[in-house]
Amino acid sequence: MLRILRTTLRTGVITEPVSVVDDELVRLGIKVKQVLDARFGGSLALREVDAGSCNGCELEIHALNNPYYDAERFGVHFVASPRHADALLVTGPVSRHMAAALQRTYQATPAPKLVIAAGTCACDGGEFGVTYASCGAVANVIPVDVSIPGCPPTPLALLKGILAAVNRRS
Amino acid sequence: MSRFDWLSEFLARLHDENVLVRRGLAKALAPAHVLVIDPEDWAKAAAIAAEFGCRWAALWGDELGAKYILYMVLEYGGDYLALRARIPTENPVTPSVVPHFACADRMERHIHDLLGLTFSGHPDDRRWTRHQAWPAHRFPLRRDFPVEGESPDPTPPDSDYPFRRVLGGGVYEIPVGPVHAGIIEPGHFRFQAVGEEILQLEERLGYVHKGIEKIAQGRDPSALVRLAGRVSGDSTVAHAWAACQAMERAARCQVPRRALYLRALMAERERVANHLGDIGAICNDVGFAFALYQLSRLKEQWLRRNQQLFKHRLMMDAVLPGGVAVNLDAEQIDALRADHRRLRAELHTPFDIIDDHPSLEDRLVTTGRLPADAARRLGVLGYVGKASGQGFDVRRDNPYPPYDSVPVTVPVYAEGDVAARVRVRMEEITITLGIMDKLLDTLPTGEVQGLWPAVTRACEGLGCVEGWRGEILTYVRLDETGRVMRFFPRDPSWLTWPALEQLILGNIVPDFPVCNKSVNGSYSGHDL
Ligand code: SF4
């Protein structure tokens, strides 16, 4: 136990602090928080749906929660059920085998039901396109509010996209 | 031991059992030795191989002119053997090898669903990769099936898949997925439980089937590597390397040695990044958040270095046919050496703590046990195999350059529980740091990109790479203009997914997440 405390103390808080210069993240985060405070009661509940991704996008979405980005401090947090979600963060080209599940997830999401398509595949089908097995872009299956290109999008790009999404709907 | 010193004995056994070997080809699919046999001997040859002690590794089919070619890859003593048979198109039925190699189950069903070959005597005739995107009598990998599909109609959900039920007093069923509660890939798990205890788990995969084998066809080598790097994003380097290796062997492309060292460096970096993330996540699944935060912090630093030196946080598209897209200067090499030193020092304490923390021990030791004999029977690979007494590692047992000059030690444990899988991965990180130092110390000078030779004849190649999950085997066939005609990447997840169904038995439902994470099969790499 002592060793755990010692390591924790020695590591300190590494979350990119508000005063420092990786400022793009922080400035962005503060903006997100302001919009969320004004329009979403302080926090945005996101439900992530992998609709056919190669899993690269998931790695970067995970990174949003690591101690460097710690998106939760800006009010962005991930929930386990679409019924608790304000927004869906959808990755991948939508595989045909996932199309029905994605639609059902969308139906289960209460208003405002924002949809953010994350990653090049989610934007336009990417490397997989539209085929016998893939519906391509998320917008081909459910309505999309904001698209975040990138293969995969970096955590910073994801945060920008989330900001754009919450800004769009009031 | 020299390569293939067992082959004559194996051939003698085939001969004794009247299996006719029409041809033996040492070079066509090197490092694998090809034996061409008759389709009616397919299962008999498999039975002999199973008895001989071969490990079953891969199976794929290919439509070639007016026939199908079936390939089955086996491994013995680090050597690869590829059995090949030609299946007539009129009645494409082959005896199933599942009675001899249980792990062939899903790959035979996959080939049936995509190419329409039937495996007679297969104990399970349910569909596997196919859900409802195409009908049972149509086969997407056949030439007459258009890549865009045959019906633009929306695909209905696959709601009537006949799961196996366990009957009895107090038995209940828990369906989970395809959309899971966490940030993970989609798939369906069907549990049969009594109280908290799991009596049976059945996996239903195929949800992220993206038609990778079909859309590979017609690509040039660069476009294929881009696709291979997206078979499973967490293994982008390893899959891209395996695809390149297959094509380079097929086209006889000379890759500069420096490029091979840089590929290995990136593959080892990928191993470290994934192990760091997963060890943290496994600990977090049993409520030990300390490890998650410490290790995800170190992983993030690692990814930022990737971005800086390899132009991409996951190093996507850094491996190219004939070479690599990046180079390192002296200053960058020093920075990496310093990173390795720092990581080694920083990992000391968290690894020590994970190793003997009572609450972790309580949750991870004896949880999700896969006994060694089950692991051998299932042909399990990577850290799942190494934690259950199966020490195979391509880098050591069939070394491809640069591992012919950089020795690899392989940690092996017998316990087979979640704790052992964590321990293997911690040790692999330490070993890999040593490998990366060695790669940097002996990094050859020179070019990082070789010339891609003009391909003028049809050719084929096999890539064998040890990704962070274990052995990746990739088959590529090129036509006489150098275009890809067949691509089959066999991710190790094909063999570890069935192991999860076994190792979960008798565990409690709430331990499923940690057991699953300790195996961490790729859905995308499996569903293709
Ligand atoms: S955008 Fe890139 S990383 Fe994301 S799912 Fe598509 S291929 Fe994978």
Side-chain angles (χ1 to χ4, degrees):
Chain A
M1 196 64 212
L2 276 178
R3 279 186 308 169
I4 297 181
L5 290 175
R6 210 179 310 128
T7 310
T8 310
L9 282 177
R10 211 182 302 126
T11 308
V13 177
I14 55 150
T15 303
E16 324 251 77
V18 177
S19 55
V20 190
V21 233
D22 183 12
D23 3 293
E24 207 192 338
L25 168 66
V26 173
R27 256 182 284 132
L28 204 64
I30 292 172
K31 267 193 232 148
V32 172
K33 185 73 181 101
Q34 283 164 350
V35 181
L36 292 183
D37 281 343
R39 302 180 188 167
F40 284 81
S43 76
L44 179 77
L46 272 180
R47 170 66 255 195
E48 198 267 350
V49 184
D50 173 343
S53 122
C54 78
N55 79 28
C57 281
E58 278 57 42
L59 292 175
E60 291 298 53
I61 295 172
H62 266 294
L64 266 185
N65 291 324
N66 79 28
Y68 276 89
Y69 300 99
D70 188 20
E72 197 150 339
R73 70 187 146 138
F74 305 128
V76 176
H77 71 122
F78 290 86
V79 293
S81 166
R83 297 188 200 282
H84 306 155
D86 303 305
L88 299 179
L89 184 65
V90 187
T91 64
V94 182
S95 71
R96 282 183 174 245
H97 292 169
M98 273 302 287
L102 177 62
Q103 267 158 349
R104 288 176 177 179
T105 306
Y106 179 73
Q107 280 154 16
T109 311
K113 230 192 214 326
L114 293 174
V115 176
I116 306 166
T120 303
C121 290
C123 294
D124 62 12
E127 203 57 37
F128 305 98
V130 177
T131 67
Y132 80 92
S134 163
C135 306
V138 174
N140 293 345
V141 180
I142 56 173
V144 169
D145 294 278
V146 168
S147 297
I148 310 173
C151 181
T154 60
L156 212 58
L158 287 165
L159 206 58
K160 278 186 200 159
I162 292 168
L163 176 64
V166 290
N167 258 331
R168 255 183 72 130
R169 291 250 194 116
S170 39
Chain B
M1 207 174 85
S2 62
R3 302 257 86 151
F4 289 108
D5 58 358
W6 52 275
L7 188 60
S8 51
E9 191 190 334
F10 181 75
L11 289 171
R13 296 232 194 143
L14 291 178
H15 182 81
D16 290 347
E17 300 283 336
N18 298 321
V19 172
L20 182 64
V21 175
R22 301 224 162 248
R23 274 158 72 197
L25 308 163
K27 296 238 170 68
L29 213 58
H33 188 101
V34 178
L35 298 180
V36 182
I37 59 173
D38 291 334
E40 51 277 17
D41 288 336
W42 191 248
K44 212 202 277 178
I48 295 164
E51 196 172 308
F52 197 81
C54 292
R55 173 175 66 87
W56 191 91
L59 177 77
W60 66 88
D62 191 0
E63 187 178 20
L64 200 65
K67 58 185 187 283
Y68 297 109
I69 300 289
L70 206 52
Y71 267 115
M72 167 161 62
V73 178
L74 305 159
E75 179 265 329
Y76 186 84
D79 296 324
Y80 289 109
L81 189 68
L83 299 183
R84 188 168 94 188
R86 162 203 281 234
I87 317 290
T89 34
E90 317 80 70
N91 182 25
V93 181
T94 316
S96 165
V97 304
V98 174
H100 316 294
F101 289 111
C103 42
D105 178 335
R106 292 174 181 178
M107 260 180 265
E108 285 189 355
R109 285 157 73 192
H110 175 77
I111 292 173
H112 174 264
D113 289 355
L114 273 93
L115 200 56
L117 308 191
T118 301
F119 294 90
S120 58
H122 192 298
D124 188 344
D125 60 2
R126 293 174 299 172
R127 59 184 182 273
W128 179 245
T129 306
R130 182 175 69 82
H131 290 199
Q132 300 296 332
W134 65 95
H137 62 277
R138 298 293 295 150
F139 305 104
L141 268 184
R142 287 195 179 169
R143 252 196 314 268
D144 66 356
F145 191 99
V147 64
E148 65 277 11
E150 298 180 310
S151 159
D153 298 343
T155 303
D158 192 33
S159 35
D160 63 345
Y161 184 77
F163 286 98
R164 291 201 190 88
R165 305 288 300 268
V166 175
L167 300 174
V171 179
Y172 64 102
E173 190 176 76
I174 315 173
V176 179
V179 179
H180 295 154
I183 303 172
I184 54 170
E185 299 179 75
H188 184 91
F189 299 112
R190 189 64 65 101
F191 298 92
Q192 316 283 330
V194 167
E196 295 235 313
E197 189 181 325
I198 299 170
L199 297 181
Q200 181 183 288
L201 161 65
E202 208 180 336
E203 296 156 0
R204 175 81 182 113
L205 302 178
Y207 285 93
V208 289
H209 175 66
K210 295 185 279 289
I212 286 177
E213 291 165 89
K214 183 80 174 180
I215 61 175
Q217 294 174 1
R219 289 185 178 229
D220 63 24
S222 310
L224 182 77
V225 175
R226 244 188 357 259
L227 182 64
R230 286 158 180 82
V231 165
S232 182
D234 52 21
S235 310
T236 178
V237 174
H239 268 290
W241 190 357
C244 281
Q245 213 183 57
M247 289 190 290
E248 287 153 3
R249 284 171 176 164
R252 311 250 160 88
C253 170
Q254 284 297 328
V255 184
R257 221 149 151 94
R258 186 178 176 87
L260 293 169
Y261 274 63
L262 290 172
R263 284 180 183 178
L265 185 69
M266 291 190 281
E268 298 302 336
R269 289 188 70 82
E270 184 166 87
R271 191 179 323 278
V272 171
N274 282 292
H275 282 359
L276 284 176
D278 283 0
I279 296 170
I282 291 167
C283 293
N284 192 53
D285 271 344
V286 292
F288 195 63
F290 166 79
L292 174 71
Y293 289 109
Q294 289 296 334
L295 300 186
S296 65
R297 165 178 75 88
L298 297 170
K299 180 179 175 183
E300 176 66 24
Q301 293 170 354
W302 198 251
L303 298 186
R304 289 181 178 197
R305 185 67 88 192
N306 283 350
Q307 173 70 52
Q308 192 193 8
L309 300 190
F310 303 96
K311 314 286 184 278
H312 191 284
R313 283 165 57 91
L314 310 180
M315 300 173 290
M316 266 181 177
D317 304 322
V319 176
L320 301 174
V324 290
V326 285
N327 205 343
L328 295 177
D329 61 27
E331 204 177 302
Q332 292 168 323
I333 290 171
D334 284 342
L336 286 176
R337 281 209 189 91
D339 278 4
H340 302 167
R341 267 197 305 277
R342 200 161 39 237
L343 187 61
R344 213 178 266 123
E346 289 234 39
L347 282 176
H348 193 71
T349 310
F351 276 10
D352 238 28
I353 293 172
I354 293 171
D355 224 12
D356 72 355
H357 193 68
S359 82
L360 277 179
E361 206 174 288
D362 195 40
R363 293 296 306 279
L364 304 184
V365 173
T366 72
T367 303
R369 257 197 89 224
L370 182 71
D373 54 338
R376 191 174 326 109
R377 189 167 38 81
L378 296 172
V380 170
L381 296 162
Y383 47 82
V384 185
K386 291 166 190 170
S388 293
Q390 313 304 307
F392 181 79
D393 187 308
V394 194
R395 295 171 299 169
R396 183 193 61 185
D397 299 321
N398 200 322
Y400 45 103
Y403 297 104
D404 49 355
S405 324
V406 181
V408 175
T409 32
V410 178
V412 181
Y413 287 89
E415 288 83 348
D417 52 8
V418 176
R421 290 190 279 279
V422 169
R423 200 165 308 131
V424 166
R425 299 181 77 169
M426 292 197 295
E427 283 183 35
E428 280 200 342
I429 293 182
T430 313
I431 294 166
T432 284
L433 284 168
I435 293 174
M436 289 188 296
D437 279 337
K438 180 91 201 272
L439 288 167
L440 292 178
D441 289 345
T442 53
L443 186 65
T445 52
E447 298 296 307
V448 296
Q449 182 64 55
L451 261 189
W452 188 256
V455 173
T456 51
R457 55 176 181 97
C459 51
E460 57 184 349
L462 183 68
C464 319
V465 164
E466 184 78 13
W468 63 272
R469 273 196 186 88
E471 169 203 61
I472 294 174
L473 291 179
T474 296
Y475 173 78
V476 179
R477 178 167 66 82
L478 303 174
D479 71 2
E480 63 291 344
T481 68
R483 301 242 155 216
V484 176
M485 289 292 110
R486 184 74 175 100
F487 170 56
F488 178 65
R490 204 242 45 221
D491 191 85
S493 306
W494 276 101
L495 296 139
T496 45
W497 273 120
L500 178 63
E501 288 186 346
Q502 297 289 318
L503 62 85
I504 198 65
L505 298 180
N507 285 264
I508 55 172
V509 177
D511 273 350
F512 176 70
V514 69
C515 290
N516 187 17
K517 193 73 208 176
S518 77
V519 173
N520 195 9
S522 167
Y523 300 70
S524 180
H526 165 280
D527 293 353
L528 296 176

